């Protein structure tokens, strides 16, 4: 599986190439060949392992015209591998490419043309005592050290970037301490696989069920060819919902992956034990030595890595003094700032024109130019937080995030179906959750067999709200704009007839009944009454007190289940309504909870799955932050 296909499908999706875009692609390809020279190196790390590296140097580089280095380290691939073969683009942004840098790409350990053994989310070693103590920070350091000493006509400054998994390598690399590393932009970075990507608050993201061959099979030796193409599960239906039902219980899915070490790691570590904890980069983001300038980038509708950018930014900000640390959040799905689509859509919602280009030209390019070519003194003319209001559909600048002056407000979940500002009674709402009839997370069947889920993050939720196993609470029609900006906390008081349960909470923007379609609204969509999901998150009850030490629920006992939804910046406009939906399943996004407590859900049997009646008490609240 070559780089062009994998990166486009994994990060930004596939789009049809028009005649105009083909012409632009041809211009990009010509620019690369006319302006850059390609070199290939096997760079030795401190333990002797060699990492394969492509280096593209501007042809006009000289002793009097030196260029900084911009590097990406990746577990996917850095094709094309031939010395005389050039990619169409050296960076996803042609603005960066035409500005000219020395572009470097590297296969990480155990992947593609690099030597070594592949490890998912390589544990960071804070105190290295021997040459065998290697991690992504040490490999970054060794690579940078070799590059600045051996690539002619570099100016001694290095920047690093990467989207998704390469985003993890970027933030891990920021800890390397090399003085030449001046700028780091982790974009949609993975930070902790128990809260990003493969799990959300410990619930398994079964929608990733087709990805395990990519991440769980060692390559036999350095290679330019994919070694896992024949290891994907066989599917006997085009209906993703039905296929994933056949993979429940999870041991059915595991039958496809008997020789997959990553799957086995999931089975062996169902809780947040030392295995997962040491693979989190978050605890190491403090007192960073020789810290580069950091610009974290994410998308408000990133179904894969929304936890990562927000958590990384906040922890760097909290635990480091006098560090340049900024955050950018746009109206993007996973990595969508890397592809300009003109009229920017996420799912069925139009957010404006040339939004990706705005980011690439006015934010990203400015960041790297300042720290790699300019004064590098932190006076970049960029704000602390450059965030897109997904309700107003415009960029906003903030001096801090979250905003300290935001007003915290509780929306209570009344059994009248209302979102209220106070507890109305001692009552409750209830529903029956049947594992055999889980709530679909989407109406878009096309995305169910995608590499990972994507579009549901802003989808219309009317299909869910009409089910009897989904609770719906909403405000009256708003008489003025209400901007939610900051963190969201679900503070549920619940009870169930079972001994375990999942709680999937959604924040929804309800459009008025006379809302007009935009010129770009898909023909089969009606925006009148549209229930746009703004934010959602799941919580597995067993982890309500500890992610490492799960506990069953006591049947019919009122229990607190509190968890964070990720941050939001969204203005609910006058005439709209704010809605909260609560359900127990969102399938096949997340695996189905048996609702009978078992020690290891990956080993549950079909007989363990039971119906349960769930109650959500009126004292349950959703705590939000309102910007005035």
């Amino acid at each position: 599986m070559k780089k062009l296909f994998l990166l486009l499908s994994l990060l930004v999706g596939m789009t049809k190439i028009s005649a105009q875009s083909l012409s632009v692609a041809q211009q990009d390809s010509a620019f690369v060949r006319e302006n850059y020279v390609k070199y290939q190196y096997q760079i030795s790390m401190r333990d002797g392992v060699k990492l394969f590296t492509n280096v593209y140097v501007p042809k006009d580089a000289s002793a009097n015209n030196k260029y900084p280095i911009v590097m990406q380290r990746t577990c996917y691939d850095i094709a094309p591998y031939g010395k005389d073969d050039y990619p169409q683009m050296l960076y996803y942004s042609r603005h960066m490419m035409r500005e000219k840098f020395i572009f470097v790409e590297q296969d990480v350990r155990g992947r593609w043309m690099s030597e070594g053994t592949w490890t998912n989310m390589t544990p960071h070693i804070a105190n290295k005592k021997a040459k065998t103590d290697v991690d992504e920070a040490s490999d970054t350091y060794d690579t940078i050290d070799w590059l600045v000493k051996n690539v002619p006509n570099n100016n001694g400054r290095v920047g690093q970037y990467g989207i998704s998994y390469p985003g993890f390598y970027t933030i891990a690399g920021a800890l390397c301490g090399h003085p030449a590393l001046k700028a780091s932009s982790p974009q949609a970075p993975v930070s902790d696989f128990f809260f990003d990507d493969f799990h959300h608050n410990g619930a398994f993201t079964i929608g990733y069920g087709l990805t395990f061959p990519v991440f769980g099979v060692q390559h036999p030796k350095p290679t330019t060819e994919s070694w896992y193409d024949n290891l994907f599960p066989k599917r006997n239906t085009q209906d993703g919902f039905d296929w994933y039902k056949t993979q429940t219980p999870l041991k059915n899915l595991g039958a496809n992956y008997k020789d997959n070490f990553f799957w086995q790691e999931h089975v062996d570590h169902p809780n947040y034990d030392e295995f997962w904890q040491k693979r989190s980069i978050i605890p190491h983001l403090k007192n960073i030595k020789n810290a580069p300038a950091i610009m974290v980038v994410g998308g408000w509708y990133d179904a894969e890595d929304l936890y990562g950018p927000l958590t990384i930014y906040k922890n760097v900000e909290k635990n480091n003094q006098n560090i340049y640390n900024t955050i950018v959040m746009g109206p993007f799905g996973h990595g969508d700032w890397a592809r300009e689509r003109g009229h920017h859509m996420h799912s069925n919602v139009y957010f404006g024109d040339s939004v990706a280009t705005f980011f690439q030209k006015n934010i990203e390019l400015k960041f790297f130019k300042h720290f790699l070519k300019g004064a590098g003194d932190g006076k970049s003319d960029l704000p602390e937080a450059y965030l897109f209001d997904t309700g107003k559909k415009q960029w906003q600048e903030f001096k801090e995030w979250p905003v300290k002056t935001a007003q915290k407000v509780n929306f209570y979940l009344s059994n009248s179906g209302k979102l209220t500002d106070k507890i109305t009674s001692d009552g409750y709402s209830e529903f029956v959750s049947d594992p055999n009839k889980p709530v679909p997370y989407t109406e878009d069947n096309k995305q169910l067999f995608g590499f990972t889920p994507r579009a549901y993050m802003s989808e219309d939720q009317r299909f869910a709200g009409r089910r009897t196993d989904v609770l719906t609470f909403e405000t009256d029609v708003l008489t003025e704009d209400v901007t939610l900006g900051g963190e969201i906390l679900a503070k549920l008081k619940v009870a169930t007839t079972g001994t375990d349960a999942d709680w999937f909470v959604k924040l929804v923007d309800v459009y008025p009944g006379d809302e007009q379609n935009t010129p770009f609204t898909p023909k089969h969509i009606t925006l009148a009454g549209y229930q746009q999901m703004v934010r959602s998150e799941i919580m597995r009850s067993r982890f309500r007190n500890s992610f490492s030490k799960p506990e069953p629920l006591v049947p019919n006992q009122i229990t607190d289940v509190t968890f964070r939804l990720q941050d939001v910046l969204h203005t609910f406009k006058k005439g709209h309504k704010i809605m909260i939906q609560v359900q127990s399943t969102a399938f096949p996004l997340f695996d189905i909870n048996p609702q009978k407590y078992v020690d290891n859900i990956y080993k549950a049997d079909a007989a363990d799955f039971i119906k349960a009646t769930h109650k959500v008490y009126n004292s349950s609240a959703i705590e939000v932050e309102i910007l005035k």
Side-chain angles (χ1 to χ4, degrees):
M1 189 180 300
K2 292 299 184 182
K3 176 185 177 183
L4 182 60
F5 172 78
L6 181 57
L7 286 185
L8 290 182
S9 60
L10 177 62
L11 301 179
V12 296
M14 298 296 290
T15 57
K16 294 181 179 179
I17 300 177
S18 65
Q20 181 178 4
S21 63
L22 180 60
S23 175
V24 172
Q26 291 171 339
Q27 293 174 27
D28 290 333
S29 181
F31 182 87
V32 171
R33 287 187 170 274
E34 291 169 3
N35 289 276
Y36 288 91
V37 179
K38 181 179 182 180
Y39 301 92
Q40 295 183 315
Y41 302 103
Q42 291 276 18
I43 301 178
S44 292
M45 301 294 101
R46 62 192 63 182
D47 63 346
V49 170
K50 295 182 175 65
L51 303 187
F52 190 86
T53 310
N54 284 334
V55 179
Y56 299 88
V57 181
K59 290 182 177 179
D60 61 354
S62 67
N64 296 319
N65 187 32
K66 296 183 177 183
Y67 285 97
I69 295 168
V70 173
M71 175 175 68
Q72 176 185 222
R73 305 183 65 247
T74 179
C75 59
Y76 299 122
D77 71 53
I78 58 171
Y81 285 99
K83 185 177 184 300
D84 297 320
D85 294 332
Y86 286 72
Q88 175 192 315
M89 298 279 286
L90 300 180
Y91 195 101
Y92 64 74
S93 163
R94 58 180 48 91
H95 309 289
M96 284 284 291
M97 189 174 73
R98 282 167 168 73
E99 175 64 27
K100 289 189 185 178
F101 298 86
I102 298 171
F103 289 104
V104 174
E105 296 180 316
Q106 184 179 75
D107 289 330
V108 299
R109 287 174 179 259
R111 302 293 283 186
W112 300 92
M113 281 295 288
S114 285
E115 299 175 349
T117 301
W118 158 247
T119 301
N120 278 292
M121 298 294 288
T122 311
H124 181 76
I125 303 172
N127 299 307
K128 300 175 179 66
K129 299 177 180 179
K131 289 185 177 180
T132 54
D133 288 343
V134 294
D135 56 20
E136 302 307 335
S138 68
D139 283 354
T140 301
Y141 186 102
D142 294 349
T143 300
I144 290 174
D145 205 55
W146 190 94
L147 291 171
V148 296
K149 292 175 180 176
N150 292 278
V151 176
N153 302 316
N154 75 83
N155 72 355
R157 300 190 201 180
V158 178
Q160 189 175 358
Y161 79 102
I163 298 175
S164 194
Y165 223 137
F168 161 72
Y169 297 121
T170 303
I171 190 59
L175 307 181
C176 77
H178 200 291
L181 183 60
K182 303 297 185 183
S184 177
S185 183
Q187 303 182 3
V190 187
S191 62
D192 187 321
F193 266 165
F194 209 72
F195 302 96
D196 276 316
D197 287 297
F198 289 92
H199 304 86
H200 281 227
N201 288 326
F204 175 58
T205 314
I206 196 174
Y208 278 44
L210 298 175
T211 69
F212 279 85
V214 177
F215 302 109
V217 181
Q218 298 289 351
H219 76 353
K221 61 181 180 179
T223 178
T224 62
E225 300 297 328
S226 172
W227 59 96
Y228 48 73
D229 281 350
N230 296 323
L231 301 176
F232 291 94
K234 301 297 187 292
R235 292 165 281 169
N236 57 5
T237 175
Q238 296 300 310
D239 189 315
F241 190 93
D242 285 349
W243 184 80
Y244 275 108
K245 280 292 296 296
T246 68
Q247 305 307 300
T248 302
L250 289 176
K251 59 173 59 177
N252 293 354
L253 179 61
N256 298 290
Y257 297 133
K258 293 179 180 178
D259 298 320
N260 190 293
F261 73 85
F262 191 41
W263 175 259
Q264 192 58 46
E265 289 168 348
H266 279 68
V267 175
D268 293 342
H269 304 280
N271 308 320
Y272 194 52
D273 60 13
E274 183 182 6
F275 176 83
W276 295 113
Q277 291 172 21
K278 70 181 183 180
R279 281 162 172 75
S280 175
I281 199 66
I282 301 301
H284 305 287
L285 302 179
K286 54 187 176 183
N287 302 319
I288 303 174
K289 296 180 180 179
N290 290 328
I294 296 174
M295 183 178 74
V296 183
V297 179
W300 288 127
Y301 301 115
D302 189 341
E304 299 179 38
D305 298 301
L306 181 58
Y307 174 91
L310 293 166
T311 306
I312 285 172
Y313 166 75
K314 291 176 185 178
N315 277 269
V316 171
E317 193 70 13
K318 176 183 176 182
N319 298 314
N320 298 271
Q321 294 183 345
N322 301 319
I323 188 173
Y324 183 99
N325 178 48
T326 60
I327 185 169
V328 181
M329 297 293 294
F332 304 114
H334 190 60
D336 283 342
W337 52 89
R339 171 69 66 86
E340 179 54 69
R341 291 184 171 87
H343 308 302
H344 183 79
M345 305 283 294
H346 186 270
S347 185
N348 305 310
V349 183
Y350 168 64
F351 288 97
D353 291 345
S354 304
V355 182
T357 294
F358 179 88
F359 162 75
Q360 292 174 17
K361 286 182 65 175
N362 299 300
I363 302 175
E364 182 184 42
L365 180 61
K366 183 181 289 188
F367 171 77
F368 279 119
K369 279 184 67 175
H370 175 76
F371 287 102
L372 300 183
K373 289 186 172 184
D377 57 4
K379 299 177 182 178
S380 63
D381 197 32
L382 289 170
E384 174 76 13
Y386 221 143
L387 310 177
F388 195 93
D389 184 321
T390 51
K392 287 184 176 178
K393 299 178 181 177
Q394 63 186 37
W395 290 98
Q396 304 277 10
E397 299 183 15
F398 296 89
K399 295 180 180 179
E400 61 183 6
W401 188 262
V403 179
K404 294 177 182 177
T405 57
Q407 178 185 1
K408 289 189 177 182
V409 172
N410 284 323
F411 288 123
Y412 292 96
L413 310 183
S414 170
N415 60 355
S416 67
K418 292 289 187 179
L419 272 183
T420 63
D421 59 359
K422 58 182 178 294
I423 302 173
T424 55
S425 71
D426 294 331
Y428 56 83
S429 306
E430 68 177 2
F431 64 96
V432 175
S433 175
D434 184 353
N436 290 318
K437 297 180 180 179
V439 181
Y441 80 90
T442 180
E443 282 190 305
D444 181 6
N445 290 328
K446 292 181 180 179
Q447 68 175 302
L448 294 179
F449 272 148
F451 194 76
T452 55
R454 296 183 61 87
Y456 79 93
M457 293 282 281
S458 64
E459 268 191 65
D460 188 355
Q461 298 302 303
R462 281 178 284 195
F463 76 95
R466 290 166 179 161
R467 290 179 57 118
T468 58
D469 51 0
V470 177
L471 301 179
T472 299
F473 311 89
E474 64 181 1
T475 65
D476 293 330
V477 174
L478 299 177
T479 57
E480 60 181 15
D481 289 358
V482 176
T483 299
L484 303 190
E487 299 177 344
I488 306 173
L489 188 66
K491 301 185 293 187
L492 304 184
K493 290 187 180 295
V494 297
T496 177
T497 56
T499 49
D500 199 4
D502 289 348
W503 308 97
F504 187 60
V505 175
K506 297 181 284 189
L507 171 67
V508 178
D509 185 342
V510 182
Y511 294 18
D514 59 356
E515 183 80 14
Q516 298 297 305
N517 283 6
T518 75
F520 315 109
T521 304
K523 292 181 179 179
H524 67 287
I525 297 297
T526 300
L527 292 184
Y530 195 88
Q531 295 179 5
Q532 180 196 335
M533 189 158 77
V534 175
R535 185 64 67 246
S536 66
E537 191 56 278
I538 194 168
M539 182 66 192
R540 188 148 280 178
S541 293
R542 63 175 53 214
F543 296 124
R544 65 195 181 279
N545 295 321
S546 169
F547 286 105
S548 60
K549 297 179 180 179
E551 304 171 50
L553 292 166
V554 177
N556 300 310
Q557 179 175 297
I558 300 177
T559 304
D560 291 328
V561 178
T562 300
F563 59 101
R564 290 200 179 282
L565 281 67
Q566 304 305 326
D567 295 19
V568 67
L569 178 60
H570 186 90
T571 296
F572 292 78
K573 293 184 176 181
K574 177 181 177 180
H576 290 224
K577 292 187 286 187
I578 302 173
M579 173 184 286
I580 296 294
Q581 290 185 358
V582 180
Q583 59 203 64
S584 191
T585 48
F587 189 79
L589 177 60
F590 299 109
D591 70 310
I592 301 172
N593 192 320
Q595 303 186 142
K596 183 179 84 172
Y597 184 89
V598 293
D599 288 334
N600 189 334
I601 286 180
Y602 293 94
K603 297 181 179 181
D605 294 316
D608 294 321
F609 288 74
I610 62 173
K611 287 184 182 180
T613 299
H614 300 329
K615 296 178 180 178
V616 177
Y617 286 82
N618 289 2
S619 52
S620 299
I622 307 299
E623 181 184 279
V624 299
E625 297 184 331
I626 295 179
L627 301 182
K628 295 295 185 179

